[in-house]
Amino acid sequence: MDNAERKEEAILPHDVSQALNMMIRMTQSLCDLADRESQTLAQNDMVSFAILQDEKEIVAAQYAKASGEFRANLVSYRGADTALLDRLENLQKSLGEKTKSNNKVVSQIYDRSHSKTQSALLAAQELGQKHHIQMPDQRAVNENDVDQKSAGEGK
């Protein structure tokens, strides 16, 4: 890969201030997405939450690439405007807190759903074992009861 190809793949501008401002915008976009995600979780709107995941995946991939470029050139950012660096750092801390909080809520929802699913499956299994299931135009079916005629026909 030559230098021209590497430059085409770069996300961050070469100018330090412009690169920091781009990182700030990308981080702010992820914070905004985290806020929207938090709202959908609070409203238990899983359809909107799922739709947000597609958008978040695209923005997060761009952010990850830009962040990699930023880390690779960290030395060049040491003399940058401290206000920009502080703003970026504060946004990244905020993003981390929001992400952690949302992940905790998602984990709680998952645990509740898993528990409810297990309970429903056990209840259905118990009902199936205790009650005959009458199918239209068929005899009662229950695997625990063996029809004597059927048992005799298999001989």
Side-chain angles (χ1 to χ4, degrees):
M1 182 182 309
D2 62 22
N3 285 338
E5 288 175 324
R6 282 188 200 133
K7 287 180 183 177
E8 286 178 1
E9 291 181 11
I11 290 178
L12 295 178
H14 292 292
D15 180 76
V16 171
S17 292
Q18 289 178 357
L20 282 170
N21 279 313
M22 182 174 270
M23 284 298 300
I24 288 168
R25 282 192 304 276
M26 291 177 136
T27 308
Q28 184 62 57
S29 291
L30 281 173
C31 284
D32 293 344
L33 277 169
D35 286 338
R36 289 170 45 205
E37 189 176 69
S38 180
Q39 289 172 352
T40 62
L41 289 169
Q43 296 168 351
N44 202 26
D45 183 356
M46 294 300 116
V47 172
S48 295
F49 178 78
I51 292 168
L52 279 175
Q53 300 314 296
D54 292 336
E55 186 178 349
K56 185 171 75 170
E57 184 178 337
I58 293 166
V59 175
Q62 291 174 335
Y63 175 84
K65 185 171 182 189
S67 182
E69 290 176 24
F70 182 84
R71 283 190 306 275
N73 297 313
L74 200 55
V75 173
S76 64
Y77 294 100
R78 295 203 193 279
D81 182 356
T82 55
L84 290 176
L85 289 170
D86 289 346
R87 183 165 178 216
L88 178 59
E89 183 180 2
N90 289 334
L91 279 171
Q92 288 176 333
K93 285 179 184 176
S94 176
L95 177 61
E97 291 167 2
K98 291 175 185 195
T99 301
K100 184 178 179 180
S101 176
N102 286 350
N103 286 344
K104 184 178 177 183
V105 172
V106 168
S107 180
Q108 290 170 346
I109 290 170
Y110 173 81
D111 290 345
R112 282 194 308 267
S113 295
H114 183 71
S115 176
K116 287 179 182 179
T117 300
Q118 289 301 107
S119 295
L121 288 172
L122 288 173
Q125 186 178 24
E126 287 175 13
L127 282 172
Q129 290 174 353
K130 291 180 182 177
H131 300 287
H132 292 284
I133 300 169
Q134 186 68 39
M135 304 299 283
D137 298 328
Q138 293 181 353
R139 58 184 165 75
V141 177
N142 188 318
E143 66 182 38
N144 293 327
D145 295 334
V146 178
D147 184 84
Q148 295 300 326
K149 271 184 163 179
S150 296
E153 292 174 4
K155 291 182 182 179

